[in-house]
Amino acid sequence: MISTAAAAAHPNIAFIKYWGNQDHTLRIPANSSLSMNLDGLETRTTVQFDTSLAADQLILNGEPREGDALARVTATLDQLRRLAELETSALVKSENSFPTGTGIASSASAFAALALAGATALGLCLSEPELSQLARIGSGSASRSIPGGFVEWQAGTDHESSFATSIAGTDYWDLVDFIVLISSQHKAVSSSQGHQLADTSPLQGARVADADRRLDLCRKALLERDFSLFGEIVELDSTLMHSVMMTSTPPLYYWAPGTLEIITAVQEWREEGVQVCFTIDAGPNVHVLCPGTEAEAVKRRLTSLVNIKSILKCTPGGPAWVLGPETSGV
Ligand code: PMV
């Protein structure tokens, strides 16, 4: 028996970050988070359940992968197999539209596409919250790549209560995210490993205790399209997360000299009256955010900086979607 389906999803950028878990296996996060899907970047994944396979197989951007990457795919497939009550192994082929090794995290789009393709291949009619829960098993932030537009992930306390929902559609606010690539080096410490270190920082407790307040302010700024409040809270949240990272044992320094150069430039441009702010994930690259009306001015300024490799422009992206499912054979 062979049953196949394909699906795609966008990665997302968090405005209020997820860092640290209540439960590392189920990826129940320490705090709720809020993000925007990134149109212009996507992962496309095909899942083929095949009774002739002895074990799950993963092909990522044309290369067979084993170890941790395959184990995470198998963990997601195991949940699907449990729901469908079968034991069949699967061949998973996944491709990113953006070049690998650019430092753009692809696990969110990868596991969202995997959850949707796998559920479709098995003919499971899962709700959006159920797909979001499933995507979360492979990568926490993948839960936020299932719904479209601007998305909030309620931390919850267990598998059923921890999932993401859309709070505003793609057309709600024409925010632009310029991803400024400083380094294409692979992350020294993956975010999965990083989450496990979060509680070793004496600052994590304070960051988590204040997270709902920041989330409420960020949601309000977004729903009121108040960029100056938005920028203030997004930068605070990003810097709090990096403060936790840098004060963990062992410490995690994701910033490179070029990261600070862009932070400083963004602060200067804001002093000059440009509506712009920054946020940084688990790597040295900087996401420079602005309203669409400022995009040309911000792009011009960014291209004048010396230490950058390239710039990608993203706008709000839609939900994960199915790419022509096929089911064949018996
Ligand atoms: O989903 P993960 O394990 O790759 O963690 C994502 C962590 C950050 O990107 C740093 C923050 C976030 O909320 O996306």
Side-chain angles (χ1 to χ4, degrees):
M1 194 274 286
I2 295 178
S3 61
T4 306
H10 300 295
N12 63 74
I13 178 65
F15 301 145
I16 299 296
K17 309 289 189 189
Y18 148 52
W19 196 247
N21 287 314
Q22 300 170 51
D23 179 322
H24 291 298
T25 310
L26 289 176
R27 299 181 202 270
I28 310 297
N31 61 279
S32 300
S33 54
L34 198 159
S35 59
M36 176 180 103
N37 284 352
L38 298 174
D39 197 36
L41 306 177
E42 66 191 47
T43 300
R44 290 175 169 250
T45 299
T46 303
V47 179
Q48 182 172 312
F49 287 94
D50 182 343
T51 42
S52 71
L53 289 174
D56 295 328
Q57 290 175 21
L58 170 64
I59 299 185
L60 205 53
N61 298 308
E63 301 281 328
R65 296 283 296 268
E66 292 181 350
D68 182 55
L70 178 60
R72 285 168 74 177
V73 165
T74 290
T76 306
L77 293 173
D78 281 346
Q79 294 278 341
L80 285 161
R81 283 187 279 252
R82 197 179 47 76
L83 291 170
E85 297 179 349
L86 57 74
E87 292 180 356
T88 311
S89 294
L91 169 64
V92 174
K93 289 186 186 165
S94 195
E95 302 264 347
N96 294 325
S97 71
F98 42 100
T100 36
T102 49
I104 302 172
S106 56
S107 64
S109 48
F111 284 101
L114 174 66
L116 182 56
T120 308
L122 293 177
L124 294 167
C125 283
L126 300 184
S127 64
E128 192 177 83
E130 286 170 326
L131 285 167
S132 174
Q133 291 160 358
L134 195 58
R136 195 199 69 236
I137 298 292
S139 166
S141 56
S143 66
R144 299 189 309 242
S145 280
I146 292 285
F150 298 90
V151 174
E152 199 172 311
W153 171 17
Q154 288 300 327
T157 50
D158 56 15
H159 181 62
E160 281 70 35
S161 57
S162 189
F163 59 87
T165 49
S166 176
I167 59 163
T170 51
D171 295 337
Y172 191 81
W173 199 11
D174 67 335
L175 275 188
V176 172
D177 177 11
F178 288 110
I179 310 177
V180 186
L181 301 172
I182 291 164
S183 165
S184 58
Q185 282 189 348
H186 241 65
K187 280 187 245 185
V189 177
S190 72
S191 42
S192 277
Q193 292 168 287
H195 291 297
Q196 313 224 10
L197 299 179
D199 283 331
T200 66
S201 164
L203 304 182
Q204 171 72 347
R207 190 193 75 85
V208 170
D210 185 56
D212 282 346
R213 183 192 71 90
R214 295 192 305 279
L215 186 81
D216 287 346
L217 282 173
C218 188
R219 188 194 308 108
K220 173 177 151 62
L222 202 149
L223 295 179
E224 292 176 3
R225 303 182 187 91
D226 177 346
F227 192 84
S228 95
L229 174 62
F230 176 79
E232 202 178 301
I233 208 73
V234 166
E235 289 189 0
L236 170 66
D237 191 84
S238 170
T239 306
L240 274 171
M241 179 182 75
H242 283 272
S243 304
V244 167
M245 290 164 161
M246 292 176 198
T247 52
S248 294
T249 307
L252 294 176
Y253 285 85
Y254 284 112
W255 293 5
T259 312
L260 203 51
E261 190 187 330
I262 297 168
I263 292 174
T264 312
V266 166
Q267 286 168 337
E268 279 171 14
W269 300 340
R270 200 161 46 229
E271 289 288 304
E272 293 165 15
V274 183
Q275 289 194 294
V276 61
C277 71
F278 68 84
T279 186
I280 303 160
D281 275 347
N285 301 321
V286 184
H287 291 249
V288 175
L289 306 164
C290 65
T293 47
E294 300 277 38
E296 275 311 306
V298 170
K299 177 82 189 283
R300 216 172 26 250
R301 285 166 192 257
L302 282 171
T303 41
S304 72
L305 297 175
V306 283
N307 282 328
I308 59 175
K309 285 175 93 82
S310 56
I311 303 168
L312 296 170
K313 183 183 177 188
C314 298
T315 49
W321 69 103
V322 173
L323 300 163
E326 320 152 23
T327 306
S328 63
V330 178

